[in-house]
Amino acid sequence: MKVGFIGLGIMGFPMASNLIKAGYDLTVYNRTIEKAEKLKGAKVARSPKEVAENSDVVISMVTDAPDVEEILFGENGVVKSNKRGLIFVDMSTNSPEFAKKTAKRLSEYGIEFLDAPVTGGDKGAREGTLTIMVGGKESIFKQVEPIFRAMGKTIIYVGDVGSGQALKLCNQVVVALNMVAVVEGLLLARSFGIDDEKLFTVLSTGAANSFTVQYYLPKIMKGDFEPGFKAAHLKKDLKYALEIANSKSLPLLGTSLALQLYNAMVSIGMGEKGTQGLIKVYEKMISK
């Protein structure tokens, strides 16, 4: 199968690289063409329409729902290729409702749709060990599964369209609260004069251990706030999760707090930094 890939950011570039390593015939598009040209072994398209014309499966890995809509239905969007039988896979994180609406709109053009958000951060994207959660027709999932396996280690078929996004939002709630816990634990330890390395040893070898502890706590300790996953993106995901929770009358109190904290992080100009930069919000509160 010929594959198209749209969106070569922190996650998309290494994901596309792994498809090339797996031997796929890859056509890519990125708003910044220069970035696409750095991907050795891929053909560079000048529009999403051109990607679709040269692909059997098109994958998007962009920021939010408006970006996906532009890719699909914009002036030079995927649907303008008039390629019936195409499979479009949105690996971005969006709302389940958006996935359902998108699938319905694409069906009018004879295009199949899967929502397949990922977790594992930039590390998982580079190493090809992402966890991928997939919603859509099972028959279409089975066609695309080998492509997913070139980018991820754990592939979960969840169910109907939108269910991949639903599971991803559950994941993001836990991710966000883990970061809050790590930051607060670190601040408390420092208030006692406890060495950061000793805290890391305890957290990483005991009941508190997690990916956040293993990967992000050392970054915080070093003052490294470059993004593996941007704070502005997590804020967006938490907003989706809370909108759904509110519609179901679910009291996600921790998630509400986490969203407020990430709103604050974006407001102090750190939205493009990694989620571990949350400690800066706490430090600002301490300094007042």
Side-chain angles (χ1 to χ4, degrees), residues 68-69 72-73 79 84 88 90 95-115 135-137 160-162:
V68 178
E69 286 199 344
L72 289 171
F73 307 108
V79 300
R84 301 185 74 83
F88 184 83
D90 183 20
S95 73
E97 193 58 36
F98 174 75
K100 291 173 186 176
K101 288 178 180 177
T102 302
K104 186 176 181 181
R105 288 180 72 183
L106 286 178
S107 68
E108 297 169 6
Y109 295 90
I111 297 174
E112 298 287 354
F113 176 83
L114 296 174
D115 55 292
K137 294 177 185 174
D160 293 340
V161 168

Side-chain angles (χ1 to χ4, degrees), residues 244-277:
I244 293 167
N246 290 337
S247 73
K248 296 174 179 287
S249 299
L250 295 176
L252 301 190
L253 306 182
T255 306
S256 181
L257 171 61
L259 178 57
Q260 290 179 54
L261 290 167
Y262 278 103
N263 275 330
M265 188 173 164
V266 171
S267 73
I268 63 172
M270 292 191 67
E272 295 299 300
K273 295 296 184 181
T275 54
Q276 71 273 22

